[in-house]
Amino acid sequence: MADDRNFLLKIITPDRVFFEEEASMVEFNTTEGEIGIYKNHVPMTVIIKPGILTITQEGGVREAALHSGFVEILQDRVTILAEIIEWPEEIDEARAEAARTRAEERLKSKTPETDVARAETALLRAIARIQVLK
């Protein structure tokens, strides 16, 4: 039987439906800060900032590395359109560490050609991948 506190959480990427189940809470980073959503949240649309997505369900908590996208929040459902999202078992830790090192080096040795915003985003993505593995 469905819990009255639950809402439908659907996470879609260009490649697949990543997640489609009931949840009691979902947390993630937005361009405006961290947000936690329960059923009957005020309807809104937000932009995702790279970080960890935390899904709370009756059976426990699951985490994934969420990189970018948009979220539609309605009172009885939340739909995340994600560019990239990964479960911990889908992440290559060595590759994530190498990406973090590259991004940090780009930011340290800034040249006029350095795209700082892109390097910062790459760093946030790498950190999210590493943190979700810990």
Side-chain angles (χ1 to χ4, degrees), residues 112-128:
E113 297 82 36
T114 302
D115 185 340
V116 175
R118 185 174 173 197
E120 288 173 343
T121 299
L123 180 59
L124 289 173
R125 287 178 176 183
I127 290 170

Side-chain angles (χ1 to χ4, degrees), residues 3-134:
D3 189 324
D4 283 344
R5 297 170 293 177
N6 289 344
F7 59 89
L8 177 63
L9 174 61
K10 188 170 186 176
I11 304 171
I12 305 166
T13 73
D15 300 329
R16 62 185 169 154
V17 175
F18 179 81
F19 184 88
E20 186 173 13
E21 295 179 22
E22 289 206 343
S24 58
M25 183 178 182
V26 63
E27 300 169 272
F28 53 89
N29 293 327
T30 76
T31 55
E32 303 299 315
E34 208 171 328
I35 188 171
I37 301 166
Y38 291 99
K39 185 175 183 175
N40 296 320
H41 193 284
V42 173
M44 62 173 55
T45 303
V46 296
I47 300 170
I48 295 166
K49 184 175 179 182
I52 295 177
L53 172 105
T54 304
I55 301 167
T56 303
Q57 296 177 285
E58 188 175 314
V61 175
R62 295 183 76 186
E63 292 184 331
L66 176 59
H67 301 294
S68 62
F70 299 90
V71 182
E72 176 191 47
I73 302 165
L74 300 174
Q75 292 188 331
D76 63 344
R77 68 183 176 275
V78 174
T79 304
I80 299 175
L81 302 175
E83 184 180 317
I84 300 170
I85 185 167
E86 302 161 297
W87 295 117
E89 59 271 15
E90 298 172 328
I91 296 170
D92 179 332
E93 187 171 7
R95 188 172 169 215
E97 288 287 356
R100 183 182 72 176
T101 301
R102 279 192 311 275
E104 288 173 340
E105 287 173 3
R106 256 186 263 135
L107 290 169
K108 282 181 192 172
S109 62
K110 256 192 297 197
T111 66
E113 297 82 36
T114 302
D115 185 340
V116 175
R118 185 174 173 197
E120 288 173 343
T121 299
L123 180 59
L124 289 173
R125 287 178 176 183
I127 290 170
R129 283 181 170 123
I130 293 163
Q131 285 179 335
V132 83
L133 288 170
K134 303 298 179 199

